Amino acid sequence: MFTPSIPPVPYADPWLQPLSTRLAMLYRREVRVAYFYEEPNNSTFRYRAYNMAQVLNEPGAGNVSASYFFLADSDRFDEIADAADLLVVCRSRYCHQVNGLITKFRARRKKVLFDVDDLVVDTDYAHLVVATLGLDVTQKGVWDDWFAMIARMNQTLRLCDGAITTNQFLAQKITDCSGLPVSVVPNFMNKEQLAVAEKVFAAKERARFVGNGKITLGYFSGSPSHRLDYAIVEPALADVLSERPSVEVMVVGYIDHGPTMREFGHRISRQPFQDYVNLQRLLGTVEFNLMPLQSNAFTDCKSELKYFEAASVGTLSIASPSFTYSRAIRDGETGYLSKAHEWTESILRAIDRVEAYESMAKQARDDALLKFGWQHQTKTILNALQLA
Amino acid sequence: MSARVRRFVSFWRDHGTRAAVRLVRAKLGSVVAGPPAHEKSLSYLPASSREASGTVQGLAAQRFASTRPIATFLIPRASLRRVSLVTDSIGSGSLFGGVGTALLFAAQLANRLNATLRVVTRTEVASPDNASLILGAYDIHLLHEMQFAFAPWGGRVDSGGEGGLDIHEDEIFVTTSWWTTAATLPGVPHASIIYLLQEDERMFYPFGEDRFHCEQVMLNKDITFVINTRLLYDHLVHTGMEHLNGSAYCFEPAFPKSLFHQRAREQGGKKRFFFYARPHNLRNLFYVGLSVIDRAINEGILDLEQWDVYLVGKDIPDVVFGDGYVPNRCEGLDWSEYADLMGTIDVGLSLMYTPHPSYPPLDLAASGAVVVTNKFANKTDLSQYSSNIICAELELGALVEAVRDGISLAENTELRRRNFLANGLGVDWEKSFEETLVALTASR
């Protein structure tokens, strides 16, 4: 385990600004992009609206400015529609207010785009999504909830002129179900994330990537819906713990261990869900970040974010070869790829290549910063918005 | 904690105390009633998935739990096709032999179709490590990701999720027994099923319900049959399975030299006599084999001054031969230990009361040993595999004489070596499946 001495960062959601401040942010320049999300959160909103606006408000975006708005701002939708030249509706379910907002932009002959980061726009995949998340299908509400949610997303999508998403695989799925043109803007890291990552990486570099003698494998779950993904790697974790006394496991988030892990309880640490800034600190402490995914169309739509968040702090990832992970990670150079039946072998291979760790970690960070750092996204975003 | 206890605790946690009590009752019930031959491990049946007790459907579902349909749901066509292997388990205990062959076949079919391979198990959650072990042992590299799904007899699918088994329209299902075929048929297009038949499964049963259902599945003309060995194919065609004539494919198994070869032995040590000892697998004729060995020892054919006897298998009771000789017992060997042992054997006795030659005689011959096995129906001569295999009438005296001949052949090192070098056994699974895979994929 690495022990970079980086103190916890006091954290408050940076997007919790009064509407007046957010409107002022929009008015700053001549070409104005309004991002809309139902209500702010730490995940999709941050990646698909907050981060986008952050990049567009930098000097590199020329005369473009951006801000973000929520359902709670509905009393001021007219003002927003007057002020903005372009609306991007992020992963929002259809309702009278969402339709109303889009209608206001359309009435002003302004373009509206839909942004989504998961395969939640096509009801043909609803059953697969429910199954992949391991939901209890005997609960009738599950079907109502998921079909309604996905159908509402689809309806919002169809009201728009085009879409933006996180990777080509998902882009094709969106085109298939809507017939709309789709652009790709990957998820990427914002300033706050990278500032902490920089400190963590520097501390590890100073220590020449030497830890405390233990090898820690981290699983950062994010939500309980990753239970079945975690199940892919758990038998391998038990094998590795049994074979290598120096290995420990850190689980962050909501995952429960299966019975095979019980005998290793003293070597498993559990951390609560983290805010995204301090998550970088925690990620920096583990040697390997495990990213198992079930293999199907839903998981092929997932973005690279777990890879680049780890890479930015000099932590190597071991990942399932999903559509995005297999394109993001160069096996043996910037991380490792592992098919579902090869996890034990893959983890041991990674552990045994300790001599390659430092150079791989540096390569991975360079790669992540270049492809997924906020500084390199301006052109891609402007292209997707058709403002280039 | 044993694996069984762990599974129970896990079940208890997932399903609650009431369901756990029901499970215990079901288990005890099966102990009293005795499960059918192919239902050695009773699945857990959540109350929600049971047919009402007392109805015809409910009674049948309970009696034939292993054939309960796998719930499926269709998802849109994927960018990659998929081949799903449906089998009871890929646990360590059942990995080599038929299950291993099925995994190798499905893996090569998947690669040939540029498809993903999924392993669907029914009696226990699949161990990815075991899949890795068998594919690694035969140097098979999958082109794409491998998937695993657990579809227990009780109906809940956990791969996956609990919403059933997702299937694609153009998916191919490789089933591995009549009961996995029966369970798969109701939920997928029949033409998508390839039934890998590795034994005359009718012979698992006396004339009765199980045999009837088995035969019904084997008579299905909508599915494709791939049969392990020409011998078995010929036997089936001539025993009521005429529809297989010309429509089924068959292949001969392979025994890679990397795994099956003679191992170095200590100088001056005793010669080794092997017996495939599985008392609970009735087709292996355990007690007949013991009698053959005992008589061979008593008649001085098997001279214990020169020979050590190895009983290799499972659940072997304490056995004493002749005047008190206690043989070596080898149980629970993993694949490499098994292959290592085979490579040190001089003569093996391996019986199989069916038309299929079974694997142990072929493993032994591929490892350089002389083998005695029995004739059955059209299984009268296995010299096409190796002249070191002696096929005797299934009669005590004939088998003892065959052991005498086998020992004599084993001691004629030059002839044994020449026979070994002229073995007709395949050594490459890819070649074994080639013709079948070409035919199967041409139309898909």
Side-chain angles (χ1 to χ4, degrees):
Chain A
M1 182 182 213
F2 298 115
T3 52
S5 53
I6 307 297
V9 180
Y11 176 81
D13 289 333
W15 43 79
L16 294 183
Q17 305 287 341
L19 177 59
S20 56
T21 306
R22 288 179 282 121
L23 274 170
M25 198 156 78
L26 183 69
Y27 277 119
R28 266 188 220 159
R29 293 183 186 145
E30 286 170 25
V31 179
R32 297 158 190 163
V33 183
Y35 284 88
F36 174 82
Y37 196 77
E38 291 179 40
E39 55 182 58
N41 64 25
N42 203 6
S43 52
T44 296
F45 165 73
R46 169 165 57 95
Y47 272 110
R48 304 311 295 175
Y50 174 79
N51 286 3
M52 302 291 167
Q54 187 179 74
V55 169
L56 292 176
N57 288 329
E58 284 296 303
N63 63 346
V64 177
S65 57
S67 191
Y68 33 83
F69 304 96
F70 314 113
L71 277 177
D73 303 324
S74 59
D75 289 347
R76 308 280 290 275
F77 277 179
D78 275 315
E79 192 178 342
I80 295 165
D82 284 338
D85 298 288
L86 173 63
L87 174 67
V88 182
V89 180
C90 297
R91 196 176 171 151
S92 293
R93 292 164 295 181
Y94 179 91
C95 69
H96 62 292
Q97 287 169 308
V98 170
N99 187 329
L101 178 63
I102 293 171
T103 302
K104 288 179 193 302
F105 273 78
R106 285 206 172 286
R108 290 163 175 79
R109 299 187 180 281
K110 292 176 179 178
K111 187 172 288 185
V112 182
L113 300 173
F114 187 77
D115 188 299
V116 67
D117 57 354
D118 262 328
L119 184 53
V120 288
V121 289
D122 186 347
T123 51
D124 282 353
Y125 289 95
H127 198 148
L128 180 68
V129 174
V130 165
T132 306
L133 299 179
L135 302 175
D136 181 358
V137 293
T138 62
Q139 302 296 314
K140 284 180 187 158
V142 165
W143 298 112
D144 286 344
D145 290 349
W146 283 85
F147 268 86
M149 185 273 279
I150 293 173
R152 288 172 67 190
M153 290 285 180
N154 182 272
Q155 195 59 36
T156 306
L157 166 69
R158 285 167 185 276
L159 291 177
C160 300
D161 301 302
I164 304 171
T165 190
T166 48
N167 66 65
Q168 283 297 346
F169 189 89
L170 181 51
Q172 186 59 51
K173 297 291 178 206
I174 296 167
T175 298
D176 290 347
C177 73
S178 68
L180 292 172
V182 185
S183 307
V184 172
V185 177
N187 280 338
F188 58 85
M189 292 172 282
N190 65 25
K191 290 181 186 176
E192 300 89 270
Q193 249 178 322
L194 280 183
V196 177
E198 176 73 44
K199 288 178 189 164
V200 174
F201 185 80
K204 287 167 77 170
E205 209 174 20
R206 279 195 300 277
R208 299 304 309 270
F209 286 85
V210 174
N212 65 358
K214 300 284 187 187
I215 303 286
T216 305
L217 310 173
Y219 183 77
F220 296 77
S221 82
S223 75
S225 63
H226 291 289
R227 175 175 66 85
L228 294 170
D229 293 325
Y230 174 73
I232 293 170
V233 79
E234 193 177 52
L237 285 181
D239 285 348
V240 172
L241 285 168
S242 163
E243 202 167 304
R244 302 292 170 92
S246 64
V247 171
E248 294 180 338
V249 171
M250 178 193 289
V251 174
V252 181
Y254 307 97
I255 294 296
D256 277 333
H257 301 299
T260 53
M261 295 291 277
R262 300 256 157 73
E263 65 179 290
F264 304 108
H266 60 293
R267 288 161 65 191
I268 301 169
S269 62
R270 184 178 282 281
Q271 299 287 337
F273 187 73
Q274 302 280 312
D275 67 71
Y276 76 95
V277 174
N278 285 293
L279 180 68
Q280 295 297 109
R281 290 175 52 249
L282 208 55
L283 261 170
T285 65
V286 304
E287 273 79 2
F288 297 102
N289 167 46
L290 307 179
M291 311 195 304
L293 275 182
Q294 298 161 75
S295 171
N296 60 43
F298 179 66
T299 58
D300 273 336
C301 292
K302 293 287 179 185
S303 87
E304 306 88 346
L305 71 88
K306 283 190 172 188
Y307 159 67
F308 61 67
E309 286 178 347
S312 71
V313 291
T315 291
L316 293 178
S317 292
I318 310 175
S320 293
S322 68
F323 179 89
T324 37
Y325 291 167
S326 62
R327 282 160 181 77
I329 296 172
R330 296 196 303 276
D331 186 42
E333 294 178 33
T334 58
Y336 297 94
L337 294 170
S338 177
K339 293 191 179 111
H341 61 297
E342 296 171 343
W343 273 96
T344 304
E345 192 186 322
S346 300
I347 293 172
L348 292 175
R349 176 167 73 109
I351 290 172
D352 290 341
R353 291 190 69 209
V354 65
E355 78 290 345
Y357 194 96
E358 184 173 353
S359 69
M360 281 182 70
K362 286 178 176 171
Q363 265 195 83
R365 177 174 155 86
D366 290 346
D367 177 63
L369 262 52
L370 186 66
K371 291 180 190 156
F372 306 107
W374 65 268
Q375 306 92 327
H376 305 290
Q377 308 304 326
T378 312
K379 199 173 163 193
T380 310
I381 298 172
L382 290 174
N383 277 334
L385 299 173
Q386 296 165 33
L387 295 176
Chain B
M1 201 189 304
S2 75
R4 183 173 292 186
V5 172
R6 278 203 298 269
R7 280 204 302 275
F8 176 75
V9 171
S10 169
F11 175 85
W12 191 359
R13 188 171 296 115
D14 288 350
H15 298 276
T17 301
R18 289 179 67 178
V21 169
R22 278 196 300 271
L23 172 68
V24 171
R25 282 189 184 140
K27 290 264 186 195
L28 289 176
S30 77
V31 167
V32 174
H38 63 275
E39 294 178 7
K40 288 180 191 134
S41 57
L42 184 70
S43 70
Y44 32 85
L45 304 176
S48 59
S49 68
R50 284 188 189 159
E51 297 284 350
S53 61
T55 64
V56 173
Q57 294 77 11
L59 288 169
Q62 241 173 347
R63 172 62 178 78
F64 302 103
S66 66
T67 65
R68 287 171 68 100
I70 297 173
T72 56
F73 67 92
L74 201 58
I75 57 170
R77 188 182 293 271
S79 50
L80 281 178
R81 290 187 75 176
R82 183 163 58 189
V83 171
S84 279
L85 172 70
V86 186
T87 187
D88 284 351
S89 156
I90 57 166
S92 308
S94 52
L95 197 53
F96 277 75
V99 175
T101 303
L103 189 57
L104 297 178
F105 174 77
Q108 297 206 26
L109 178 61
N111 277 354
R112 183 71 65 122
L113 292 167
N114 192 31
T116 307
L117 173 64
R118 175 169 64 175
V119 175
V120 180
T121 53
R122 302 220 71 198
T123 58
E124 63 180 331
V125 174
S127 156
D129 279 354
N130 283 348
S132 179
L133 185 75
I134 192 94
L135 294 176
Y138 291 101
D139 206 24
I140 307 270
H141 300 278
L142 289 172
L143 294 177
H144 300 288
E145 172 67 311
M146 193 170 185
Q147 303 173 13
F148 298 92
F150 181 42
W153 299 343
R156 196 187 66 148
V157 173
D158 208 350
S159 45
E162 298 169 359
L165 191 69
D166 60 288
I167 62 167
H168 303 155
E169 215 165 46
D170 59 353
E171 187 158 352
I172 293 173
F173 298 86
V174 177
T175 57
T176 51
S177 58
W178 74 268
W179 57 92
T180 53
T181 309
T184 307
L185 273 165
V188 308
H190 292 189
S192 68
I193 293 180
I194 297 171
Y195 178 2
L196 188 59
L197 188 55
Q198 307 197 63
E199 189 52 277
D200 184 348
E201 295 179 5
R202 295 170 299 180
M203 293 183 173
F204 293 170
Y205 313 102
F207 282 82
E209 297 266 2
D210 296 291
R211 192 183 191 285
F212 168 75
H213 289 295
C214 169
E215 194 163 61
Q216 293 302 300
V217 173
M218 287 175 64
L219 285 168
N220 191 309
K221 294 183 175 64
D222 299 333
I223 59 183
T224 304
F225 287 79
V226 173
I227 298 168
N228 187 333
T229 72
R230 179 81 200 185
L231 264 178
L232 180 59
Y233 170 89
D234 287 340
H235 161 81
L236 292 167
V237 167
H238 291 103
T239 55
M241 299 284 143
E242 290 85 3
H243 65 292
L244 299 179
N245 192 7
S247 70
Y249 304 93
C250 61
F251 67 91
E252 296 298 336
F255 303 84
K257 288 186 188 300
S258 56
L259 204 55
F260 298 103
H261 57 264
Q262 279 181 308
R263 265 61 169 183
R265 299 258 299 275
E266 60 176 296
Q267 292 286 328
K270 286 186 179 181
K271 292 188 276 280
R272 292 184 167 186
F273 187 93
F274 164 106
F275 174 53
Y276 193 49
R278 297 198 304 171
H280 296 313
N281 290 61
L282 304 183
R283 303 185 298 284
N284 287 125
L285 301 172
F286 174 70
Y287 298 97
V288 174
L290 290 186
S291 301
V292 170
I293 297 169
D294 200 44
R295 200 160 128 186
I297 290 171
N298 291 334
E299 289 185 14
I301 296 168
L302 194 53
D303 177 3
L304 295 175
E305 292 294 317
Q306 295 186 52
W307 290 83
D308 278 330
V309 178
Y310 289 80
L311 306 189
V312 180
K314 201 178 171 199
D315 304 321
I316 305 169
D318 291 337
V319 183
V320 176
F321 290 119
D323 289 337
Y325 173 77
V326 179
N328 301 287
R329 282 196 310 196
C330 306
E331 300 186 67
L333 299 180
D334 68 28
W335 67 273
S336 60
E337 291 167 334
Y338 172 78
D340 283 345
L341 179 65
M342 293 302 221
T344 67
I345 299 299
D346 295 291
V347 174
L349 171 65
S350 183
L351 305 175
M352 175 51 82
Y353 199 13
T354 68
H356 194 275
S358 78
Y359 280 165
L362 306 183
D363 293 339
L364 284 161
S367 304
V370 172
V371 194
V372 174
T373 188
N374 60 286
K375 295 181 182 180
F376 183 94
N378 62 328
K379 180 172 71 178
T380 55
D381 176 17
L382 297 177
S383 61
Q384 76 273 25
Y385 295 121
S386 173
S387 295
N388 279 336
I389 303 178
I390 299 169
C391 217
E393 290 295 342
L394 187 48
E395 186 270 316
L396 199 59
L399 286 165
V400 173
E401 282 311 305
V403 168
R404 185 196 301 277
D405 294 343
I407 287 172
S408 168
L409 175 55
E411 288 172 341
N412 184 344
T413 51
E414 182 49 33
L415 180 57
R416 175 180 164 189
R417 194 182 70 85
R418 277 209 309 273
N419 288 347
F420 173 63
L421 293 175
N423 272 355
L425 291 163
V427 294
D428 183 346
W429 275 108
E430 221 170 307
K431 283 186 186 156
S432 289
F433 292 134
E434 176 68 16
E435 208 176 305
T436 302
L437 291 178
V438 166
L440 285 173
T441 53
S443 57
R444 292 170 197 266

